[in-house]
């Protein structure tokens, strides 16, 4: 009896390594610039909302459906289609499967995490590690993957808001509170209210105490989450 599949001579291209098909995964930067000029839309806002995927040889790849919806409705909104698979994965995140809760928190704060994608077996239900769940999120488009660095990250503002919605519905009140208070903290910072800024950062530090309290990287994530709403107006870069 032949135990091998008859269909085993194909090359596989995926979101982790699309190879020569990278430029066809979504709209490229040049295509979006042309579309924005044709539709008289703000290129910088489109880029903030829907860019962020990157592949070897193609540094800017945009979510095609979101860009098209934005151009047709002439609005910069969240057009992401949620999937049943993501709803199922949320259960693993809620249960903090192999430390997923901390990882998602750090990703929301703008961090990158190195993962091993090779253990994922194209199974939508059975996972042996947090890396398997995160790899599936890459394939679904919820996370971007830097093939060279082997790192994942949240690609853009649209997807970040989806994770915030998931976190809120999951009952992570501490993280949700830190994000919700970010408007007040940003306002206090712009108004040079030192006492309010100090109190806001202290609250955020306590809210995100699921991370290592005295760890430098965790503190950086705490500050990034505390100033979450600033992303709408500013681009932040780590040292």
């Amino acid at each position: 009896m032949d135990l091998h599949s008859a269909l085993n001579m194909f090359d596989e291209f995926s979101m982790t390594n699309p190879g020569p098909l990278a430029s066809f995964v979504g709209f490229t930067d040049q295509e979006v610039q042309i579309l924005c000029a044709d539709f008289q839309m703000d290129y910088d806002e489109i880029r903030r909302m829907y860019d962020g995927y990157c592949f070897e040889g193609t540094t800017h790849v945009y979510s095609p459906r979101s860009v098209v919806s934005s151009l047709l409705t002439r609005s910069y909104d969240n057009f992401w289609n949620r999937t049943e698979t993501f709803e199922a994965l949320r259960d693993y995140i809620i249960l903090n499967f192999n430390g997923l809760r901390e990882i998602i928190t750090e990703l929301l704060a703008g961090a990158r995490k190195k993962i091993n994608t090779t253990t994922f077996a194209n199974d939508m239900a059975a996972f042996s590690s947090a890396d398997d769940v995160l790899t599936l999120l890459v394939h679904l488009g919820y996370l971007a993957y830097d093939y060279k660095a082997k790192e994942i990250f949240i690609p853009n503002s649209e997807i970040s808001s989806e994770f915030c919605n998931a976190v809120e519905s999951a009952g992570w009140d501490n993280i949700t509170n830190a994000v919700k208070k970010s408007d007040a903290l940003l306002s206090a910072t712009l108004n040079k209210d030192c006492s309010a800024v100090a109190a806001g950062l202290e609250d955020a530090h306590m809210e995100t105490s699921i991370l290592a309290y005295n760890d430098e990287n965790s503190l950086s994530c705490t500050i990034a989450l505390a100033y979450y709403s600033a992303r709408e107006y500013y681009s932040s870069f780590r040292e």
Side-chain angles (χ1 to χ4, degrees), residues 47-97:
R47 183 173 181 175
R48 182 182 73 84
M49 286 293 295
Y50 314 119
D51 182 24
Y53 300 99
C54 66
F55 306 112
E56 198 165 10
T58 307
T59 54
H60 294 282
V61 177
Y62 296 68
S63 170
R65 182 187 181 279
S66 299
V67 171
V68 170
S69 297
S70 178
L71 297 176
L72 292 179
T73 62
R74 305 197 63 77
S75 63
Y76 310 99
D77 205 348
N78 185 343
F79 300 103
W80 189 257
N81 272 344
R82 297 182 185 179
T83 64
E84 291 183 9
T85 304
F86 181 73
E87 296 300 321
L89 289 178
R90 190 176 61 183
D91 293 337
Y92 287 90
I93 297 173
I94 293 173
L95 294 172
N96 197 21
F97 180 70

Side-chain angles (χ1 to χ4, degrees), residues 210-230:
I210 59 168
L211 303 174
Y213 189 83
N214 294 317
D215 179 73
E216 182 179 350
N217 183 61
S218 294
L219 180 58
S220 177
C221 289
T222 295
I223 294 173
L225 274 178
Y227 282 101
Y228 182 85
S229 62

Side-chain angles (χ1 to χ4, degrees), residues 15-211:
M15 288 293 285
T16 56
N17 184 19
L21 302 180
S23 61
F24 301 103
V25 172
F27 289 142
T28 63
D29 201 46
Q30 183 179 10
E31 289 170 334
V32 169
Q33 289 185 46
I34 294 172
L35 287 168
C36 286
D38 289 343
F39 283 82
Q40 297 183 324
M41 295 285 282
D42 188 337
Y43 161 73
D44 290 330
E45 190 64 12
I46 292 285
R47 183 173 181 175
R48 182 182 73 84
M49 286 293 295
Y50 314 119
D51 182 24
Y53 300 99
C54 66
F55 306 112
E56 198 165 10
T58 307
T59 54
H60 294 282
V61 177
Y62 296 68
S63 170
R65 182 187 181 279
S66 299
V67 171
V68 170
S69 297
S70 178
L71 297 176
L72 292 179
T73 62
R74 305 197 63 77
S75 63
Y76 310 99
D77 205 348
N78 185 343
F79 300 103
W80 189 257
N81 272 344
R82 297 182 185 179
T83 64
E84 291 183 9
T85 304
F86 181 73
E87 296 300 321
L89 289 178
R90 190 176 61 183
D91 293 337
Y92 287 90
I93 297 173
I94 293 173
L95 294 172
N96 197 21
F97 180 70
N98 284 9
L100 270 173
R101 184 175 181 177
E102 287 81 358
I103 295 173
I104 295 298
T105 300
E106 291 186 48
L107 293 175
L108 265 175
R112 290 182 169 223
K113 299 293 290 185
K114 192 178 290 289
I115 67 168
N116 177 13
T117 62
T118 60
T119 59
F120 179 63
N122 292 326
D123 190 326
M124 296 289 188
F127 306 101
S128 60
S129 67
D131 283 358
D132 289 349
V133 177
L134 295 168
T135 300
L136 180 53
L137 288 174
V138 171
H139 288 301
L140 294 174
Y142 285 95
L143 293 173
Y145 181 67
D146 186 332
Y147 179 76
K148 200 169 195 176
K150 310 299 183 189
E151 293 175 337
I152 53 169
F153 55 95
I154 296 177
N156 53 48
S157 180
E158 182 183 42
I159 302 300
S160 183
S161 67
E162 278 297 295
F163 272 101
C164 283
N165 291 337
V167 165
E168 184 171 1
S169 63
W172 295 4
D173 294 337
N174 52 349
I175 305 302
T176 302
N177 289 337
V179 171
K180 286 183 175 179
K181 292 176 182 176
S182 62
D183 283 330
L185 180 59
L186 177 60
S187 178
T189 303
L190 295 175
N191 291 328
K192 301 179 181 179
D193 187 341
C194 300
S195 298
V197 170
L201 287 174
E202 177 64 21
D203 284 345
H205 202 182
M206 296 304 295
E207 295 282 7
T208 57
S209 58
I210 59 168
L211 303 174

